Structures are given as structure tokens and as C-alpha cells.
Amino acid sequence: MADRIAARHKDDDLGLEAFPDPENIAAVVDFALRRRTRLSRVDSQANVLDALLLVRCAREQLDRLEKRALLTAKADRIKTRQLTPATGIRTRQGIHDRIRALTRKIGAARLGVPPEALDDSSSPATPPEEHVRAVAETLLRVWPELETDPDIDEWAEGIELVLRSPHSPSATASLVTQMRIAVAEIEELAARTGHPSTASVPAQEAMRAVRKL
């Protein structure tokens, strides 16, 4: 696309201005939009369309890079509070939601459809709110008896925050997601360290209740 834009301006008197480095997408887009008035109507419109295509390609590339960076941060166990200045996201649930949203955007771009066109019907139904909140309250009550680490403890903070927030379907769904991930990470930690996730029967029952959600 940058080559097509450059070709349209091959006879354009650029004066002291050189055509931007094709790798600098922002500069190429700016050039295409700013210099289009020197072209015929057809070529001017083609410049605008190519500029939009460049922006779209750049956005898709940035989405893939952002997802990769967030997954790398997760693998490197970078804490949410360390990520906040770079991402603007303050909770682990927010990071999880952002990765999920990026996954949908990338998949939609690959299929050439808007993200909202992707079917979410395969997602499990959210259990009744009262049951979910009861499971969450029980999990928090036995949390000190679970083998965790500072990263996993962030999920407890997120669960507690949602429990204090107004009741809504989205809050219930958030509780289910956070509890499932927290229990999965507790089990992963136990497998990695070779230590049981808990010796407490009530804590084991609480984790079992989360798995059934």
C-alpha cells in the first residue's frame, strides 16, 4: 500500500519533502492524506482508501503484539500493579478480559467480520446469582487455608471487590470467571511445587464448588 501511494506521487514535486520510510506507517498515512490534494480525484480517493487499509493493518498488528505482550507478562508473573502504568488496567480480571477481547478481535479480523459477529453460544451459562455469591463468600472465608502466592492473592482481592459492587449479571459472570481462574492457578501452583493446595476439608469443598460452576 505504501508503494501504491508512492507511485501516485512519482510526478509530484515534493520540494524538500521526501516520501516517508514505508515502515513508518503513521508518517505514510499522514503523507497520503496531506498530499492527496495534488492528485486527481480518482487518485486522491485511492490515497484515502490505502491510508485506511494501512491503519487497519497496523491496528491488527498492534492487537497481536499487545496480546503477545500480555501473555508474556502473565508467563513472567508480572503483577497487575506493575502492568497498570503501561496498560491502564487495575485488576487481574481486567487483564483477563483484555486478552479475551484481543483474541476475539484477532479472530474476527482473520475471518473478515466484526468481533460482535463471533458466536459466544459455546460459553457455559452463568449459574444463579445467589449460588455464585455464596460460593464466592465461602471461597474467601477459607482463602487463608489455601496455598497461594501474591499473584494468586490478587484474585481474592478482585472477588471481594465484585462482591461489594452492585448486583448485576455482569458482576455474577465476573465472579464465576475470577473464581475459576483462581482455583486453576492454585492447582497449577500445587502441581509446580509438589505441595497440596490445602489440607483443609472446608477449603477442598470450596474449591470443588467453584469447579462445579
Side-chain angles (χ1 to χ4, degrees), residues 5-210:
I5 294 170
R8 294 187 196 105
H9 291 273
K10 67 179 187 305
D11 297 325
D12 187 357
D13 181 10
L14 300 181
L16 297 177
E17 182 178 11
F19 189 80
D21 179 354
E23 297 297 322
N24 188 341
I25 294 177
V28 173
V29 168
D30 174 71
F31 180 94
L33 297 176
R34 186 164 41 79
R35 305 283 299 200
R36 68 183 177 81
T37 55
R38 295 174 172 266
L39 303 174
S40 67
R41 179 178 177 82
V42 171
D43 283 346
S44 174
Q45 291 177 346
N47 257 27
V48 174
L49 294 175
D50 278 342
L52 288 170
L53 281 171
L54 279 170
V55 170
R56 178 181 172 183
C57 290
R59 184 176 291 117
E60 291 172 3
Q61 184 178 15
L62 287 172
D63 286 342
R64 290 192 294 271
L65 289 172
E66 182 182 356
K67 179 184 175 182
R68 178 182 172 188
L70 289 173
L71 290 173
T72 301
K74 182 178 179 181
D76 287 354
R77 306 183 73 78
I78 298 176
K79 292 179 173 55
T80 305
R81 63 175 176 272
Q82 293 175 276
L83 291 172
T84 297
T87 64
I89 301 173
R90 298 183 178 277
T91 66
R92 293 198 75 182
Q93 175 66 31
I95 295 293
H96 174 79
D97 290 345
R98 180 58 181 163
I99 291 173
R100 183 177 178 184
L102 288 168
T103 300
R104 283 174 59 83
K105 284 182 67 179
I106 293 165
R110 189 176 297 116
L111 295 173
V113 298
E116 57 270 20
L118 295 185
D119 185 11
D120 265 348
S121 60
S122 59
S123 299
T126 303
E129 178 185 9
E130 288 184 5
H131 176 65
V132 170
R133 296 182 75 87
V135 171
E137 289 167 357
T138 301
L139 182 64
L140 290 182
R141 194 159 51 246
V142 302
W143 194 271
E145 301 170 30
L146 297 168
E147 289 292 330
T148 64
D149 62 19
D151 290 331
I152 298 175
D153 286 340
E154 289 186 16
W155 288 115
E157 296 171 7
I159 292 167
E160 185 177 2
L161 184 63
V162 176
L163 281 174
R164 293 201 306 265
S165 68
H167 295 207
S168 69
S170 62
T172 302
S174 176
L175 279 174
V176 172
T177 299
Q178 294 194 64
M179 286 191 291
R180 285 173 176 164
I181 297 174
V183 167
E185 291 192 3
I186 289 170
E187 292 172 337
E188 179 186 334
L189 177 65
R192 191 167 63 247
T193 62
H195 299 140
S197 55
T198 182
S200 161
V201 173
Q204 292 172 1
E205 292 175 350
M207 291 179 65
R208 192 176 302 116
V210 171

